[in-house]
Amino acid sequence: MQRFLISYEFNDGIDQQKGGEMLVEWYESGGPQNRPENYEVHSWIFIIQNGIGYSVVSSDSLETIWKQWHPWSHLMDIEIQPCLNLEETVSIFNKLKQ
């Protein structure tokens, strides 16, 4: 499995609210427990007041990642980048913040 940094930003406040509602529904329906075995979340940061977030995951393919993120794709811009280790992930994250 390869490690990826997923960055996302909601389109606007309305989409952010819809996304939050979808996330609650996803959790209540067992979302994390229903993830495929070949998708592992290492970290997740969501800065709610800015509508942006970051997640570091390991997965066997971009297709597996996209299956997890597709329901929210119409509400936000999603960027997926491969990263090798924690240092590279922090470096990519710092570049995104600028």
Side-chain angles (χ1 to χ4, degrees):
M1 290 203 316
Q2 183 171 347
R3 189 170 296 197
F4 295 90
L5 172 64
I6 303 170
S7 309
Y8 57 93
E9 182 173 0
F10 282 96
N11 299 322
D12 57 34
I14 294 170
D15 285 346
Q16 185 176 339
Q17 182 176 349
K18 290 178 189 174
E21 292 167 0
M22 289 173 62
L23 185 62
V24 169
E25 289 174 20
W26 179 74
Y27 267 99
E28 288 176 349
S29 66
Q33 295 83 4
N34 294 329
R35 287 184 179 132
E37 290 181 22
N38 49 359
Y39 184 90
E40 180 182 351
V41 176
H42 299 286
S43 65
W44 179 60
I45 301 168
F46 179 52
I47 305 166
I48 194 163
Q49 65 272 23
N50 296 332
I52 60 174
Y54 305 92
S55 187
V56 177
V57 304
S58 289
S59 180
D60 63 340
S61 70
L62 289 173
E63 181 180 351
T64 300
I65 293 172
W66 190 243
K67 285 179 183 177
Q68 297 296 303
W69 286 86
H70 181 70
W72 287 275
S73 65
H74 66 287
L75 302 174
M76 61 176 71
D77 292 326
I78 301 169
E79 185 174 326
I80 303 170
Q81 299 180 46
C83 53
L84 298 177
N85 54 43
L86 182 58
E87 290 79 24
E88 184 180 7
T89 303
V90 170
S91 173
I92 293 171
F93 175 75
N94 285 332
K95 288 177 187 175
L96 292 171
K97 290 191 331 185
Q98 296 175 355

